[in-house]
Amino acid sequence: MTARSTTGPAIRVLGLHKSYGKLEVLRGVDFEVQRGSIFALLGSNGAGKTTIVRILATLLKADAGTAGVNGFDVATEAARVRESISLTGQFAAVDEILSGRENLVLVARLRHLDDPGGIADDLLKRFSLREAAARRVSTYSGGMRRRLDIAMSLIGNPPVIFLDEPTTGLDPEARIEVWDVVRSLAGRGTTVLLTTQYLQEAEQLADRIAILHQGRIIADGTLAELKQLLPPAEVEYVEKQPSLEDVFFAVVGGSAEGGGSRESESNEK
């Protein structure tokens, strides 16, 4: 894999514009993502999040502005950018006929890597999928499929990964599983650009958050910095009530290890 530099931002976007006919989707977007961090691009449906990801992944050309990934320009050095990234879309791109291990081995072989089996086994262990390694992916729960999908995207150790709405359609338990995976990516030095419409997801995961609204970044900062945009809160003393999330995990007995409880549910369906 080609890496131009280990210094400077992993992603730099300046004055990005994109229109589809008369519909102006991006109206001058600017932001930077530091290496080894989790950056959340937060916005409602239609805000332009996926358009930004597609431009950064060299799948779409901007009308104006510049963007760089891992030190490479997305317009003039597209091949170098593609060597530096991996993209996980809104729906898990896994082969349901194959087993989890077979999916991983297939991708490793397509990338002409040495020891595809060893790579697959390492990722199965890392993503808590060893017990389900030989099972067809069609039997996996939503959280397991998403974990496998992210594992497949990491084959080849890309320094930058784009996660476009990674928890869309997942239940609360599966969402927590994916959050743990995303945290582990940054912990190993991978730069993560995460798009989401879930406020809690951005709050839980991101080192820095940019709010995209009507094609522009209207706020960009850490969670603490963004909270300072609001007037000081009035202090009131109230009895703390458990959240729905607290109730859910108390009832189900906590997050499943390795997808165990989810496997049973999947087999019953």
Side-chain angles (χ1 to χ4, degrees):
M1 180 169 294
T2 302
R4 169 164 292 178
S5 174
T6 57
T7 61
I11 301 171
R12 180 181 279 122
V13 174
L14 182 62
L16 216 57
H17 285 260
K18 181 63 183 178
S19 297
Y20 298 102
K22 294 183 179 180
L23 178 61
E24 194 174 13
V25 178
L26 303 180
R27 307 179 182 187
V29 172
D30 307 284
F31 65 86
E32 291 184 351
V33 181
Q34 299 304 313
R35 294 179 183 275
S37 68
I38 302 175
F39 184 91
L41 198 55
L42 178 65
S44 58
N45 285 333
K49 304 185 301 295
T50 297
T51 297
I52 292 173
V53 169
R54 288 174 61 82
I55 291 172
L56 292 175
T58 74
L59 299 175
L60 189 67
K61 290 186 177 181
D63 296 332
T66 61
V69 178
N70 201 34
F72 300 107
D73 186 275
V74 299
T76 61
E77 300 173 290
R80 298 293 191 184
V81 170
R82 288 193 288 269
E83 290 176 352
S84 303
I85 68 169
S86 188
L87 169 63
T88 297
Q90 296 183 20
F91 304 100
V94 294
D95 189 320
E96 296 191 351
I97 296 177
L98 300 178
S99 69
R101 189 177 190 276
E102 288 169 340
N103 269 276
L104 293 165
V105 168
L106 175 62
V107 174
R109 286 177 174 169
L110 289 173
R111 295 192 176 185
H112 306 291
L113 299 177
D114 295 332
D115 191 18
I119 292 171
D121 291 337
D122 178 66
L123 287 168
L124 288 165
K125 178 180 179 181
R126 179 175 165 187
F127 286 87
S128 301
L129 290 169
R130 284 190 298 180
E131 293 183 2
R135 282 172 38 197
R136 285 191 176 188
V137 174
S138 60
T139 69
Y140 283 18
S141 68
M144 294 169 68
R145 292 187 193 198
R146 179 54 83 184
R147 296 204 316 265
L148 176 63
D149 190 29
I150 296 175
M152 290 166 62
S153 72
L154 292 179
I155 292 175
N157 297 314
V160 179
I161 182 170
F162 301 123
L163 300 178
D164 190 16
E165 304 275 7
T167 62
T168 296
L170 297 185
D171 61 39
E173 191 172 5
R175 183 169 292 137
I176 297 297
E177 291 177 8
V178 174
W179 287 359
D180 289 340
V181 167
V182 174
R183 291 189 187 100
S184 73
L185 296 180
R188 290 171 174 255
T190 304
T191 302
V192 179
L193 189 151
L194 168 79
T195 74
T196 184
Q197 58 182 308
Y198 299 123
L199 302 176
Q200 186 187 20
E201 188 158 272
E203 183 174 355
Q204 288 287 327
L205 295 177
D207 299 303
R208 196 169 186 89
I209 302 166
I211 299 176
L212 184 66
H213 181 64
Q214 295 182 348
R216 292 188 176 93
I217 300 292
I218 60 173
D220 182 354
T222 64
L223 180 60
E225 289 170 345
L226 294 179
K227 286 182 176 181
Q228 291 177 0
L229 299 175
L230 297 176
E234 294 184 6
V235 177
E236 296 182 0
Y237 294 93
V238 297
E239 181 181 352
K240 183 182 183 299
Q241 296 294 325
S243 67
L244 181 58
E245 182 176 303
D246 294 332
V247 174
F248 178 84
F249 284 108
V251 171
V252 301
S255 181
E257 290 293 333
S261 65
R262 305 298 302 165
E263 293 172 21
S264 298
E265 178 184 325
S266 179
N267 287 334
E268 291 174 2
K269 289 182 178 179

